[in-house]
Amino acid sequence: MKLLWRRFIVPLLLLPLSVLAADKPDNLAEMWVITPKVGEAAKFEEALKRHVAYRKDKGDSREWRVYIPTLGNNLNYYVIRSCCGNWAEVDSYLAWQTKNKTGEHWRDNVSPLIASVGHNFAEVDMANSRWPEGDSGFQYFGVTRYSVKAGEGAGTEADKAALSENAKAMNWPYHWAWSWNVGGKPTLNLVVPYTNYAGMADPDPGFAASLAKHMGDEDKAKALLESWSSHFSGTEYQLYRLRMDLSLVKE
């Protein structure tokens, strides 16, 4: 599957939302990963739709978008994500949920159909991301998760900034967003949105060649990409499809 990681790394080494404006102060995303019980996916979706309607009726201040995986042999889960707020907003949102008994509604209507639940926050790197204004009609989102080696956080940040700065300067024709998971092992995420599958085809020339031309020095471009690759113990990629029919969005 084509993804920005490959566009950064493969051509050279033959190996690899709300608005994300750079000046936007709120960069905290919250996400839930829900796995329905075996054979209960259809009932779960109907229950989720009822819960979304309940939250809308109560005046939920957030938008929650729902995504499903499209690759691999584990496709029975849903990612429910809201972006972007701040830590203080989390407190006020929890208070709103308590007042409007959204937890009770979820427990009574959706929970009986669920096998497992995961939860985390992520902090979006607004400065080094490039995301379009408004709703651009994206239907697919390629997510690369980078497992960062111990002690490589600073180097990762420096190279991420350098790659992003160069990509913006040379008008690389794709959008992207970076974020760091808050919980668990150090994990950097790269999200690349697509309107359709045709948009996932590798560009010609690729990122490495374009970077070398922009920097005016093939060796410097190669060194930057090799340095970037050295920060990670591994990567994982998944392509998600947006399910607007299950999402809570503003009218």
Side-chain angles (χ1 to χ4, degrees):
M1 187 55 60
K2 313 302 191 264
L3 57 152
L4 194 58
W5 164 255
R6 287 186 61 196
R7 289 170 179 147
F8 278 0
I9 305 301
V10 169
L12 179 64
L13 304 182
L14 298 179
L15 300 169
L17 302 227
S18 61
V19 177
L20 300 182
D23 59 350
K24 189 175 189 296
D26 296 339
N27 72 332
L28 186 68
E30 184 172 7
M31 63 221 76
W32 297 83
V33 179
I34 310 295
T35 303
K37 293 178 180 177
V38 175
E40 300 284 22
K43 291 182 179 179
F44 166 77
E45 290 190 6
E46 291 304 315
L48 180 58
K49 289 177 182 179
R50 292 194 297 271
H51 185 68
V52 166
Y54 179 85
R55 284 179 171 269
K56 281 187 175 181
D57 183 65
K58 296 297 181 180
D60 198 325
S61 61
R62 288 187 179 183
E63 290 194 341
W64 291 92
R65 283 176 167 78
V66 179
Y67 307 86
I68 58 172
T70 68
L71 304 177
N73 55 13
N74 179 23
L75 303 177
N76 186 39
Y77 67 92
Y78 299 74
V79 177
I80 305 175
R81 182 178 184 271
S82 180
C83 187
C84 292
N86 55 59
W87 289 109
E89 184 267 343
V90 174
D91 290 323
S92 60
Y93 192 71
L94 288 173
W96 176 86
Q97 291 185 123
T98 299
K99 177 182 177 181
N100 289 280
K101 299 182 178 180
T102 59
E104 288 89 334
H105 189 273
W106 178 274
R107 182 193 62 212
D108 295 341
N109 292 275
V110 189
S111 287
L113 303 168
I114 292 176
S116 65
V117 177
H119 176 247
N120 206 352
F121 293 96
E123 294 184 325
V124 180
D125 179 359
M126 301 289 186
N128 288 306
S129 299
R130 188 177 73 177
W131 206 261
E133 297 274 342
D135 183 358
S136 297
F138 295 127
Q139 297 296 316
Y140 298 94
F141 299 82
V143 180
T144 305
R145 297 179 179 89
Y146 299 86
S147 298
V148 181
K149 296 176 183 177
E152 294 290 337
T156 300
E157 282 293 291
D159 286 346
K160 171 161 60 72
L163 287 171
S164 300
E165 180 180 356
N166 280 287
K168 292 177 183 179
M170 67 188 190
N171 294 317
W172 184 241
Y174 297 92
H175 297 285
W176 68 88
W178 300 102
S179 67
W180 284 96
N181 284 2
V182 172
K185 296 179 179 179
T187 303
L188 176 67
N189 308 295
L190 172 63
V191 180
V192 181
Y194 304 100
T195 303
N196 50 38
Y197 280 98
M200 301 177 199
D202 282 334
D204 185 19
F207 185 82
S210 298
L211 180 64
K213 181 178 180 181
H214 173 70
M215 296 180 72
D217 189 321
E218 185 175 345
D219 289 338
K220 286 184 178 179
K222 181 178 179 180
L224 175 56
L225 292 171
E226 289 179 337
S227 175
W228 168 254
S229 182
S230 72
H231 302 309
F232 313 114
S233 59
T235 65
E236 180 182 352
Y237 180 75
Q238 181 58 266
L239 179 69
Y240 293 94
R241 179 167 66 87
L242 176 62
R243 288 287 304 273
M244 286 297 291
D245 59 316
L246 301 177
S247 301
L248 193 166
V249 295
K250 305 299 183 182
E251 300 297 337

